[in-house]
């Protein structure tokens, strides 16, 4: 199944690719050079949402959550988004920005292991 974004989310994704945060840039650079050949997309439109990173063969989304994700209505919005993605067969992984900055190699190892399991049909 192909996960595509609406026209507004595709425009927003294009803009966000130019405005990535330092943790997102670090994770992107590390995901791009994974040694198992998994391809990740950055700022990928999915329905009305934009995913920080998406691996289509594994149907796996990855979000880097800054401090704002704990404020106001963001937790409820994130939960609604995660629920919608689950109905599309997409698993969401969320990492705090500070964890990505402190341990990008460990985060990438975990993401790649889960992606391989999902791509190869294991429960992940």
């Amino acid at each position: 199944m192909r996960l595509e974004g609406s026209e507004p989310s595709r425009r927003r994704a294009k803009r966000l690719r130019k405005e990535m945060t330092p943790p997102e840039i670090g994770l992107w650079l590390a995901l791009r050079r994974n040694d198992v050949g998994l391809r990740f997309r950055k700022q990928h439109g999915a329905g009305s949402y934009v995913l920080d990173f998406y691996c289509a063969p594994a149907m796996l989304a990855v979000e880097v959550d800054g401090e704002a994700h704990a404020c106001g209505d963001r937790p409820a919005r994130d939960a609604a988004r995660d629920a919608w993605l689950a109905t599309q067969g997409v698993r969401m992984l969320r990492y705090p920005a500070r964890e990505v900055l402190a341990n990008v190699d460990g985060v990438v190892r975990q993401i790649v292991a889960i992606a391989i399991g999902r791509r190869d049909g294991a429960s992940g």
Side-chain angles (χ1 to χ4, degrees), residues 11-93:
R11 282 194 308 267
R12 195 166 59 253
K14 185 176 182 178
R15 187 189 80 238
L16 289 171
R17 281 184 212 109
K18 298 173 186 170
E19 301 173 359
M20 291 175 69
T21 65
E24 289 171 340
I25 292 168
L27 185 55
W28 171 242
L29 293 173
L31 286 173
R32 283 182 60 199
R33 64 176 184 262
N34 73 79
D35 57 2
V36 294
L38 287 168
R39 293 195 60 208
F40 287 85
R41 298 178 187 150
K42 63 181 175 176
Q43 305 301 339
H44 177 73
S48 61
Y49 303 106
V50 177
L51 309 175
D52 287 346
F53 304 100
Y54 180 62
C55 180
M59 296 197 64
L60 181 68
V62 180
E63 289 293 304
V64 177
D65 290 345
E67 299 289 327
H69 281 266
C71 301
D73 68 344
R74 283 305 288 268
R77 287 174 37 203
D78 287 346
R81 170 184 160 146
D82 294 356
W84 180 82
L85 287 166
T87 68
Q88 305 302 305
V90 176
R91 178 169 175 192
M92 172 64 75
L93 300 177

Side-chain angles (χ1 to χ4, degrees), residues 97-118:
R98 66 186 168 278
E99 182 179 349
V100 172
L101 287 172
N103 185 20
V104 72
D105 292 337
V107 168
V108 169
R109 277 193 301 275
Q110 185 178 41
I111 292 168
V112 167
I114 292 168
I116 289 170
R118 288 184 58 85

